[in-house]
Amino acid sequence: MTAIPCQRPGAPEAVGLSRADCAAAAWAIEPDGRRHRGADAVLTALAWALGCPALASLYRLPGLRQAADAVYAWVAAHRGRLPGVTPYCQEHPEECAPAEGPR
């Protein structure tokens, strides 16, 4: 699995997503085509990065799915106020499409 910023021109469309899809949530698309959205995508990407497939299966456990979704929703709602790295498009403006409305 390879991480690709959705702001890169053509990236969302190359995997059958729209820019609106990407603005709404994180996505992980496995090599076999399975799609994961939101907290499920974050856990799937982390599982791939760490080489620990069992991590992604945690999302399917009763109660943990709801907790992961709640944490994801809170982080998504507050991401502009959280510490982090420089946004990809600030560092690589030549690779990013122009902004399309509020994000």
Side-chain angles (χ1 to χ4, degrees):
M1 190 179 295
T2 302
I4 300 171
C6 70
Q7 297 88 351
R8 183 178 291 170
E13 298 80 9
V15 293
L17 296 172
S18 68
R19 299 224 0 131
D21 292 331
C22 291
W27 287 86
I29 302 170
E30 296 190 62
D32 65 6
R34 284 183 290 167
R35 295 169 178 262
H36 306 272
R37 182 183 188 282
D40 187 20
V42 172
L43 283 171
T44 298
L46 190 56
W48 275 85
L50 297 175
C52 181
L55 184 60
S57 65
L58 291 177
Y59 185 73
R60 283 142 204 38
L61 294 175
L64 288 181
R65 174 187 296 246
Q66 292 83 358
D69 287 341
V71 170
Y72 180 86
W74 187 89
V75 169
H78 298 90
R79 66 182 169 206
R81 288 174 269 191
L82 297 173
V85 298
T86 303
Y88 184 85
C89 286
Q90 273 185 280
E91 288 186 2
H92 308 279
E94 70 285 354
E95 294 184 25
C96 294
E100 295 177 14
R103 292 189 188 251

